[in-house]
């Protein structure tokens, strides 16, 4: 990916309204997203970015830092219980 594309992805485009679904992000000990870039949710004035997604039977979450390069990806095939699983994994990380 080019630097230009990365900058576009991390540039805020719109505010994200508060939602109950963001509790899954809190389970990782990370602030919920405040803005959205190009396909990524942004938090903490830009240092953190990520994305949540799911389809039939699977859920996934990504959280990464632009400050130190740390990141976590969680993928689960536990439908309907993702927040609990994500919270447990977040504490383990």
């Amino acid at each position: 990916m080019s630097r230009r594309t990365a900058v576009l992805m991390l540039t805020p485009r719109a505010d994200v309204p508060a939602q109950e679904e963001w509790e899954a992000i809190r389970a990782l000990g990370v602030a919920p997203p405040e803005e959205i870039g190009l396909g990524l949710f942004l938090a903490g004035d830009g240092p953190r970015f990520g994305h949540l997604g799911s389809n039939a039977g699977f859920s996934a979450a990504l959280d990464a830092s632009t400050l130190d390069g740390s990141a976590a990806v969680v993928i689960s095939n536990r439908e309907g219980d993702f927040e609990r699983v994500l919270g447990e994994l977040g504490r383990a990380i």
Side-chain angles (χ1 to χ4, degrees):
M1 166 185 321
S2 72
R3 178 173 176 75
R4 182 173 183 268
T5 299
V7 168
L8 287 172
M9 292 176 77
L10 296 173
T11 301
R13 304 288 177 198
D15 292 338
V16 175
Q19 299 179 18
E20 288 182 32
E21 290 83 13
W22 299 133
E23 290 308 310
I25 293 292
R26 274 192 211 285
L28 281 175
V30 176
E34 300 155 354
E35 299 172 304
I36 189 164
L38 186 61
L40 295 172
F41 295 108
L42 310 173
D45 294 325
R48 303 210 67 76
F49 65 93
H51 194 79
L52 287 173
S54 63
N55 62 14
F58 290 90
S59 297
L62 158 73
D63 182 71
S65 170
T66 60
L67 297 177
D68 63 8
S70 64
V73 175
V74 177
I75 301 171
S76 171
N77 65 348
R78 297 223 18 182
E79 192 167 3
D81 205 13
F82 187 57
E83 286 80 7
R84 186 178 65 79
V85 171
L86 187 61
E88 290 175 16
L89 290 171
R91 283 187 290 281
I93 292 170

